[in-house]
Amino acid sequence: MEEKESLSLDGKAHQEEKKTKKRLWEFILEPLDWFRMLAEEMHWRFIFGVVVIYGISQGLGGSLFRVSTDYYWKDIQKVQPSEAQIYSGVTSIPWIVKPLWGLLTDVVPIAGYRRRPYFILAGLLGAISTLLISLHTELHVAFALLSLTAASAGVAIADVTVDACAAENSINHPSLAADIQSLCAFCSSIGGLLGYSISGFLVHQIGPKGVFGVLSIPFSLVFLVGMVLNESHVPKFAYRQVYQKFLDASKATFTTLRCGDVWRPCLYMYLSFALSLNIHEGMFYWMTDKKAGPALSEENVGFILSFGSIGSLLGVLLYQKVLKDYPFRGVLFWSQLLYGVLGMLDLILVLRLNLKLGVPDKFFVVMDEGVSQMIGRLKRMPLLVISSKLCPCGIEGTFFALLMSIDNFGSLTSSWGGGLLLHVLNVTRIKFDNLWLAILIRNIIRVFPLALLFLVPRSDPSSSILPSEILKKEVGEVHEAENIELVSLVGSTR
């Protein structure tokens, strides 16, 4: 009898073990199934393009660019934090003029191609700029700023083309709009995690100028994307019609912007970013200061920022698994509120209250960065989905670029506003007495966008936002709704 009971218990334990293994295996395969589903719906070549541009160029390269730029201004050029804050805003200007890149790629083909030349141009521009900073021994501040801005332009130009593909696929597959933006954010977060994980080590070993040399590799891959891009060739393009096409695209853009369902969320997007004052350089100078701050090393900074990427990735997964079907206003309300409240963690850190509570600086900064990036990602995801749904047919690249430039102009306003705040409060390379006040003012202003949520559509991500007459409007020669496909030169018949 006892033997039978023992065998029965063993059998149940074995079944439970099998069920546990099955759940674990399903958990592992679920992301792969998701990728497979997206590849089947929109072709794997589109997925490949997203991985290269968002994952390697923007994620990996962008994280290395950020860390190396911070140390470049601080240790090589030796500028004040308020100046560095202004310079970081200047380097974002190419992202503000993204509609220009969008118009060029939409209506001005080069040598008969609409996309390939711009990828090639972006790769060359970025690679040359980063190599110039890396190899020049004593580069003047003005030329350094120009080179960094040119490198930023290279990333922005490549980004516009992929954004156009994402917007086009969001229109062709409206039920997958949130999934497409989740894919882009997922690749960016993974790339950022990898980049931040090695950034501190690289800066410590080869210096910020050496890291700029390494950055020429992601730009070379962007160049490669342009070389292997397969698209229809237009042998006899009427360049005399370019002016008319610009007029048609501009007219359609302004017609769309006059629609209340469009300009209201655009206004909210700008103000939500502009009112989130950026004082990153002040915090960076303080955290790496040996007297006033925790004196974090290059490796520590990279380690901390890598946890920020983990937080960003968790934000993407949380939105994808739980929040993607919720109405826009609800997600934006709670994310903006938490964004303002959690900003107080910086205040606790600067006032050294964490040490009084027995929490080490490094642990507290890691927690702060991870949570802040997660909430920031949750705040941004609904805005990206809204943006993809506001693009009319025929000018997807131009209009999505315009919407992203509105976000970037808000970020520029935030950066320059933060730089002005640091300057007014006299936060310098060695004086941080009023940094706590800058953080407090920033956190109070962060909650102001809550009063503007009436500008956001009440709908959810599965619903259309644009009126049907605008959504179906065509501009000039409407390009056939087909996905941009990336193929190897070996398999090309051209």
Side-chain angles (χ1 to χ4, degrees):
M1 188 70 178
E2 291 180 357
E3 291 182 2
K4 290 183 179 180
E5 291 179 356
S6 177
L7 290 173
S8 178
L9 291 174
D10 289 342
K12 289 181 179 179
H14 182 65
Q15 289 179 356
E16 288 296 327
E17 184 179 357
K18 288 180 64 178
K19 289 181 180 179
T20 302
K21 290 181 178 179
K22 184 178 179 181
R23 294 192 201 101
L24 180 61
W25 188 244
E26 290 176 350
F27 178 79
I28 295 173
L29 290 180
E30 187 175 359
L32 297 178
D33 292 336
W34 181 61
F35 270 90
R36 188 182 299 110
M37 180 272 294
L38 292 177
E40 290 174 353
E41 292 289 337
M42 294 169 290
H43 207 286
W44 68 266
R45 292 167 183 145
F46 168 72
I47 309 302
F48 174 74
V50 168
V51 171
V52 170
I53 302 301
Y54 281 100
I56 299 176
S57 177
Q58 294 186 36
L60 176 63
S63 56
L64 293 177
F65 186 87
R66 175 185 172 182
V67 177
S68 58
T69 300
D70 285 342
Y71 278 101
Y72 181 76
W73 290 130
K74 179 176 181 288
D75 297 336
I76 306 298
Q77 297 291 350
K78 300 185 184 301
V79 302
Q80 297 293 344
S82 57
E83 293 178 275
Q85 195 73 57
I86 298 298
Y87 294 156
S88 68
V90 172
T91 58
S92 69
I93 289 178
W95 293 82
I96 296 173
V97 297
K98 281 179 66 175
L100 175 60
W101 317 134
L103 275 171
L104 290 173
T105 58
D106 279 344
V107 303
V108 185
I110 299 176
Y113 293 101
R114 296 173 56 239
R115 307 298 187 190
R116 296 179 66 176
Y118 293 99
F119 273 123
I120 293 172
L121 172 64
L124 286 175
L125 186 63
I128 293 172
S129 301
T130 50
L131 286 175
L132 176 63
I133 299 174
S134 177
L135 299 177
H136 201 287
T137 54
E138 295 182 2
L139 194 61
H140 190 272
V141 171
F143 288 106
L145 182 60
L146 182 62
S147 297
L148 290 172
T149 305
S152 179
V155 182
I157 292 171
D159 175 75
V160 165
T161 303
V162 176
D163 281 348
C165 299
E168 183 179 327
N169 277 290
S170 295
I171 293 173
N172 295 335
H173 308 274
S175 62
L176 296 177
D179 293 273
I180 294 171
Q181 294 304 324
S182 295
L183 173 66
C184 297
F186 179 78
C187 293
S188 179
S189 297
I190 291 294
L193 174 60
L194 178 59
Y196 284 129
S197 298
I198 63 175
S199 61
F201 172 78
L202 288 177
V203 171
H204 180 75
Q205 294 295 324
I206 62 178
K209 293 176 65 176
V211 175
F212 281 116
V214 174
L215 281 172
S216 62
I217 299 175
F219 283 114
S220 299
L221 292 177
V222 173
F223 177 86
L224 180 62
V225 169
M227 294 298 293
V228 302
L229 184 69
N230 185 33
E231 61 173 334
S232 300
H233 182 260
V234 183
K236 295 182 179 180
F237 178 76
Y239 283 96
R240 295 179 180 179
Q241 298 179 7
V242 168
Y243 177 71
Q244 185 60 45
K245 288 179 178 291
F246 267 109
L247 289 180
D248 291 341
S250 300
K251 182 180 178 180
T253 299
F254 286 116
T255 299
T256 305
L257 281 175
R258 284 200 298 267
C259 175
D261 292 334
V262 177
W263 70 259
R264 282 193 289 266
C266 289
L267 179 61
Y268 177 83
M269 285 190 286
Y270 168 74
L271 292 174
S272 68
F273 285 104
L275 294 174
S276 299
L277 294 183
N278 184 353
I279 56 172
H280 165 75
E281 299 300 335
M283 290 296 298
F284 174 75
Y285 277 56
W286 176 80
M287 285 194 295
T288 54
D289 190 81
K290 295 181 179 180
K291 294 181 179 179
L296 298 176
S297 65
E298 293 91 342
E299 290 89 345
N300 286 333
V301 170
F303 175 77
I304 290 166
L305 292 175
S306 67
F307 270 86
S309 294
I310 294 176
S312 178
L313 179 60
L314 290 176
V316 174
L317 295 176
L318 180 60
Y319 182 80
Q320 172 66 26
K321 299 292 292 183
V322 181
L323 302 174
K324 72 172 185 177
D325 295 322
Y326 279 75
F328 295 120
R329 287 189 184 182
V331 178
L332 289 172
F333 174 83
W334 289 108
S335 60
Q336 189 69 47
L337 179 62
L338 288 173
Y339 194 58
V341 173
L342 291 173
M344 290 298 178
L345 292 175
D346 288 337
L347 188 62
I348 294 174
L349 180 66
V350 169
L351 293 177
R352 318 304 281 148
L353 297 179
N354 61 295
L355 297 180
K356 295 180 180 179
L357 297 172
V359 182
D361 286 328
K362 189 175 179 180
F363 177 81
F364 194 86
V365 174
V366 166
M367 178 184 67
D368 182 7
E369 182 70 15
V371 175
S372 297
Q373 290 297 323
M374 181 181 70
I375 300 302
R377 178 61 72 179
L378 286 176
K379 169 191 169 184
R380 189 172 180 83
M381 289 302 299
L383 298 179
L384 289 172
V385 177
I386 292 174
S387 297
S388 68
K389 287 180 168 292
L390 292 178
C391 300
C393 292
I395 54 169
E396 299 91 349
T398 301
F399 204 81
F400 194 85
L402 173 64
L403 297 176
M404 292 299 97
S405 72
I406 291 173
D407 292 354
N408 292 318
F409 186 59
S411 297
L412 174 63
T413 306
S414 168
S415 183
W416 283 359
L420 179 61
L421 180 62
L422 293 173
H423 178 73
V424 170
L425 296 178
N426 196 30
V427 177
T428 68
R429 291 173 57 88
I430 57 175
K431 293 180 63 177
F432 304 97
D433 295 339
N434 292 327
L435 182 58
W436 70 271
L437 183 57
I439 296 171
L440 182 61
I441 293 173
R442 178 202 67 180
N443 294 342
I444 293 173
I445 296 177
R446 272 185 177 182
V447 299
F448 287 1
L450 293 176
L452 304 172
L453 280 173
F454 66 91
L455 297 171
V456 178
R458 293 180 178 274
S459 58
D460 57 70
S462 62
S463 305
S464 296
I465 298 177
L466 281 180
S468 58
E469 62 272 15
I470 295 179
L471 187 63
K472 296 178 180 179
K473 187 176 180 61
E474 298 180 349
V475 181
E477 276 187 34
V478 177
H479 303 287
E480 184 180 354
E482 60 180 7
N483 297 329
I484 299 298
E485 294 186 352
L486 300 173
V487 297
S488 65
L489 288 175
V490 176
S492 177
T493 58
R494 301 184 186 280

